Amino acid sequence: MNARTDPQLLRAYAEGRSEAAFAELVRRHIDFVHSAAVRMVNDPHLAKDVSQGVFVALAKDAGKLTNHPILVGWLHRTTRNIAAQTVRTEVRRRHREKEAAAMNESPETDAEWEQISPHLDAALANLSDADRDAVLLRYFENKPAHEMAVILGISAEAAQKRVSRAVERLRENFAKRGLITGAAGLAGVLSANAVQAAPAGFAALVCGSCLSATTFSASAAAAHLTLTMMKKTLIVTAVAAVLTGVVFYQQHDSRAMSQGLPPQAVPRETLGGGALTEQLARAKAAKPPVDRAKELERLKLKWLEIGDRNDKISEQETLAKESAELLLCGREMIDLLKFLKDHELEGSNFTLSNSVEWLFKTARAAEARELLVELPETANVLYEGAPGQGGEAYRDWWSRAAGKTCPEDEFESFRAALNCKSCATEALYGRNERRLTSDPQAAFTSSLEAYRSGIPTISGRGGVTVLFHVKAEQAAKVDFQKWEEQLPPDVQDDEPRPPHLDEDAFTVFRRKLFWNWAEIDPAAAANHVMANPDRLAPRLMEEIVGGYSSYKDRNAIIAWVGTFPEGPYFDAAARSAASYARGTPGIDELIQKVQDPKMREEAAKRAQVPLVNPNTR
């Protein structure tokens, strides 16, 4: 087995054109890339084209990626970009015919996998880079915690915790799409189905085509270098000319002053360089106000020129910041986002919308908040369509980012000035996310009250669930039991709710609460559930075991669950442990103790162990 890391292999190929190194990269990642491509284009034949395109891009960009420690993240992003282009040009007209039903899927694919698979890559793309890398390394690359720790440069315990949090956020993304899946099962489903073997011989085919596609690069690179050096020479010459003019004028002014004359006694134009004088004067003049309408048209052309090409990602990010600084949070920014959406530049649209959060961390945050306040309420809804089907309101998202960064002494006036009620609520969610460090109890209560008010926002219940991501240093200030008691009962929940409230929302709140609680104090979380059978369902033990498993090894999981009294709470805990301790000695004995036959069968399926007797214990 080749022990060299991805960066080492990339460097060997980039610097020495080592075909063996590139072949190892293809062998190592072909299954992951091909599986992602199949999910994205829904056609096994097109998936091969997409996969080849990804590795061609890898061969061309190898030199740029030698210092990229987590190659799998780049591969997933590139696969998604190329797949999107492929879908736009070749797949749409055939999509209705459902030709992709003959994909290389097992007839035994879990129903849960069939449900989430079409949405998996979009949900992954919505995660932060750190969360996405954690999920990809753990469940797509099958890296154990200690290997993840080396790659990420953190401890094994921190790596496990990062994976658990990332899975929670991934599940939240699914929930926004109406796909409810349990944390305990999601990890198992990903491990079992996310990466399937690519067709036999495909790696060799890809390797050959990629290497042949890049043989021309030496001469092309030399020509490009020559042109680049010529451009740099011209630029240096121009700058030198300007500096020479400046020094000349400074010397002229000094001579005039030494003779008792004012610096401008002799017109500079008479000394030559009148055009240069004019340029210097313009440079010193104050910048005129930005014409946002004019800048909008210029930026549209630049975005179209760059497009969603995977080799232009750095340029997209630079242009996104330029666009944010010029348009801030005005109507023109909304128009630009809509323009990108209409031209199917989804990656650019996503990059630009996220740049607004960056904007609120710069010195221009106050200006951005002012323009946000000035937007009419009708600007809130950007596109038509139901939630999850094209309906988006970026103004809500901006309000959240603005609330998170707004100075505390200015927040109430900012929130009151917003013309949109949902934006005002979103701003409150952002502020409460910031307050989680200083006063988590007040932040939770405030967000829960805002959710109960019934004012719809883009984040919806996400505005509350973000508060459950309590960091270790914040835990001492959090009373999880008090938080839980503020929620309605989970077992017999007959509390009437207004129609606008999501019936499943409080279940999601409690599920996340117990996951986070278990990461910090699993015993207290488990005891609280078992002590309140009149209001808490046994299924919450699955979340507790999931939270506990985020920082414990598999043997510890089995040992801890084995201490629970047999019954419905134990059954739920053992079924959850089956997902996290698969392949660990002792898991089969634990499963045999499950009393409920259906749960015992499900646990055995998750752990991939046979039942001694499926019908009796």
Side-chain angles (χ1 to χ4, degrees), residues 80-91 307-310:
R80 190 164 186 264
N81 287 341
I82 294 178
Q85 294 172 359
T86 303
V87 167
R88 285 195 294 268
T89 56
E90 299 184 38
V91 175
D308 270 353
R309 293 170 52 186
N310 63 289

Side-chain angles (χ1 to χ4, degrees), residues 513-526:
L513 184 151
F514 274 103
W515 179 283
N516 202 183
W517 192 356
E519 286 185 318
I520 295 167
D521 192 347

Side-chain angles (χ1 to χ4, degrees), residues 505-556:
F506 294 103
T507 299
V508 174
F509 294 162
R510 184 176 280 103
R511 199 169 61 209
K512 289 181 175 292
L513 184 151
F514 274 103
W515 179 283
N516 202 183
W517 192 356
E519 286 185 318
I520 295 167
D521 192 347
N527 291 337
H528 181 73
V529 172
M530 289 187 282
N532 292 275
D534 57 328
R535 60 177 280 109
L536 300 177
R539 65 173 175 269
L540 290 169
M541 296 301 292
E542 296 203 35
E543 309 307 320
I544 293 173
V545 172
Y548 176 83
S549 303
S550 65
Y551 63 94
K552 292 291 185 179
D553 62 36
R554 297 180 177 185
N555 292 316

Side-chain angles (χ1 to χ4, degrees), residues 331 334 376-385 391-395:
R331 175 73 250 185
I334 291 181
E377 185 163 6
T378 54
N380 180 44
V381 179
L382 182 53
Y383 310 121
E384 296 180 358
E392 296 181 86
Y394 281 107
R395 190 184 173 197

